[in-house]
């Protein structure tokens, strides 16, 4: 009887010190609260607390899944593109800017804020082909006194690419770039960073240039056709808007990085020979642009016009 009393007493003391059953400690099969083993009361209370917390978050819309769905809905609302009766691009038109290399449309992520002098947001190219709030831009005239009498966009004319407010972006945002520094560079390629800045400045000025460098001088000042291939030159730095197939992961999935870099062909263009013969001068750019530099403004009237640029030459 003494031995039995001693064993029952030691078992009671050991049971008080145990916080979990041996099955729970070893990760064995779980038991429901009806079996009344281990900390069954605490487990039951914990399940009730988790359920109440879930229902509260569901009612207030603070669930992670619900919050992400709301973010996507606020950005992917359908938007309308402008139509052109004469097939040309006009200032004030809404259009999508599509890259020929990544096959994606220029898009803004309002949840990816970039540290600048003013609020800025990250730019990517998205495979989403339908026009929505994050990939439809307004073509804005930079200087009303630039020497052109009509409202048609011409090659070599300064412009701004403006994004209207939506979601987390409360004011107009403009396509922006700046020189590469230790604090400002593209995330993966380390080329010139491109963002959407909320304040217009000299770093938000761009020019649409004819993509074929051999005919660029003759085409300067001519109207730009909607859907035609072109290159976007950043006025302040002289670099060209580009997008390569560099994966960029965000809440919208896998998209592609946008930066400024001159993707010239590596073939010899015989510039010195042409200058010696008097056929060209030193300010002629004869090397071909690669596909990452080629873009098209898409309107409601149709898709991209056939690529008028020559393919990059092979190394000589």
């Amino acid at each position: 009887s003494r031995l039995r009393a001693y064993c029952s007493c030691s078992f009671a003391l050991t049971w008080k010190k145990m916080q979990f059953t041996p099955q729970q400690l070893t990760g064995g099969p779980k038991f429901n609260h009806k079996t009344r083993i281990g900390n069954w009361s605490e487990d039951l209370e914990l399940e009730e607390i988790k359920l109440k917390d879930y229902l509260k978050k569901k009612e207030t819309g603070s669930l992670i899944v619900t919050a992400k769905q709301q973010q996507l809905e606020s950005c992917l609302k359908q938007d309308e593109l402008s139509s052109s009766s004469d097939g040309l691009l006009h200032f004030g038109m809404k259009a999508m800017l599509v890259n020929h290399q990544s096959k994606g449309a220029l898009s803004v992520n309002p949840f990816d804020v970039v540290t600048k002098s003013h609020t800025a947001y990250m730019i990517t190219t998205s495979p989403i082909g339908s026009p929505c709030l994050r990939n439809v831009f307004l073509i804005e005239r930079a200087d009303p006194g630039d020497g052109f009498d009509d409202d048609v966009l011409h090659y070599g004319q300064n412009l701004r690419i403006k994004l209207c407010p939506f979601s987390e972006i409360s004011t107009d945002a403009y396509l922006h770039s700046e020189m590469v520094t230790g604090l400002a560079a593209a995330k993966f390629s380390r080329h010139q960073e491109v963002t959407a800045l909320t304040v217009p400045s000299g770093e938000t000025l761009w020019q649409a240039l004819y993509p074929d460098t051999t005919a660029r001088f003759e085409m300067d000042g001519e109207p730009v056709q909607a859907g035609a291939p072109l290159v976007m030159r950043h006025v302040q730095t002289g670099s060209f808007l580009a997008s390569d197939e560099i994966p960029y992961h965000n809440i919208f999935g896998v998209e592609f990085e946008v930066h400024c870099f001159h993707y010239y062909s590596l073939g010899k263009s015989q510039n010195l020979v042409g200058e010696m013969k008097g056929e060209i001068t030193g300010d002629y750019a004869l090397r071909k642009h690669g596909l990452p530099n080629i873009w098209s403004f898409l309107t409601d009237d149709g898709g991209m016009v056939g690529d008028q640029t020559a393919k990059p030459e092979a190394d000589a």
Side-chain angles (χ1 to χ4, degrees), residues 14-238:
T14 306
W15 179 261
K16 289 182 179 179
K17 294 180 180 179
M18 290 179 61
Q19 296 181 353
F20 301 96
T21 63
Q23 292 88 348
Q24 290 176 320
L25 292 173
T26 57
K30 294 183 179 179
F31 295 86
N32 58 36
H33 65 278
K34 293 181 180 179
T35 56
R36 309 288 187 184
I37 67 171
N39 294 332
W40 60 270
S41 180
E42 289 82 354
D43 292 342
L44 178 59
E45 187 70 20
L46 182 61
E47 292 297 327
E48 292 178 355
I49 293 175
K50 287 182 179 179
L51 179 59
K52 292 179 181 178
D53 186 55
Y54 167 77
L55 294 175
K56 182 179 179 181
K57 288 183 177 180
K58 186 177 180 180
E59 291 176 359
T60 57
S62 58
L63 287 174
I64 296 178
V65 175
T66 307
K68 183 176 181 180
Q69 183 179 359
Q70 293 175 350
Q71 290 177 346
L72 293 177
E73 290 177 353
S74 66
C75 297
L76 300 179
K77 291 181 181 179
Q78 188 175 1
D79 201 359
E80 294 183 358
L81 299 175
S82 302
S83 59
S84 177
S85 58
D86 54 3
L88 302 177
L89 290 176
H90 295 258
F91 290 109
M93 291 182 62
K94 285 186 175 182
M96 295 171 60
L97 193 56
V98 179
N99 184 261
H100 287 225
Q101 174 72 8
S102 64
K103 302 295 190 296
L106 195 72
S107 304
V108 178
N109 184 0
F111 309 106
D112 191 355
V113 181
V114 186
T115 303
K116 300 288 181 186
S117 57
H118 298 84
T119 307
Y121 304 91
M122 186 54 64
I123 294 279
T124 56
T125 50
S126 171
I128 300 175
S130 57
C132 58
L133 294 177
R134 66 183 296 252
N135 63 14
V136 174
F137 293 86
L138 188 73
I139 304 174
E140 185 179 89
R141 193 167 191 165
D143 182 13
D146 51 15
F148 295 96
D149 299 329
D150 52 15
D151 65 340
V152 177
L153 175 63
H154 300 79
Y155 288 112
Q157 187 176 6
N158 287 357
L159 73 148
R160 285 190 172 96
I161 302 175
K162 184 174 73 173
L163 182 76
C164 297
F166 74 99
S167 186
E168 301 295 319
I169 304 177
S170 58
T171 59
D172 294 335
Y174 301 85
L175 192 66
H176 164 271
S177 187
E178 60 183 331
M179 293 291 293
V180 176
T181 64
L183 300 177
K187 186 174 182 180
F188 299 106
S189 65
R190 308 309 295 174
H191 293 318
Q192 198 169 301
E193 188 178 37
V194 177
T195 58
L197 191 70
T198 53
V199 175
S201 64
E203 295 177 339
T204 60
L205 292 177
W206 300 83
Q207 290 178 345
L209 301 181
Y210 194 71
D212 188 356
T213 54
T214 59
R216 180 172 296 171
F217 182 79
E218 291 79 5
M219 292 298 296
D220 191 49
E222 294 295 322
V224 180
Q225 184 180 1
L230 48 83
V231 294
M232 297 299 301
R233 177 179 175 271
H234 189 235
V235 174
Q236 191 170 84
T237 61

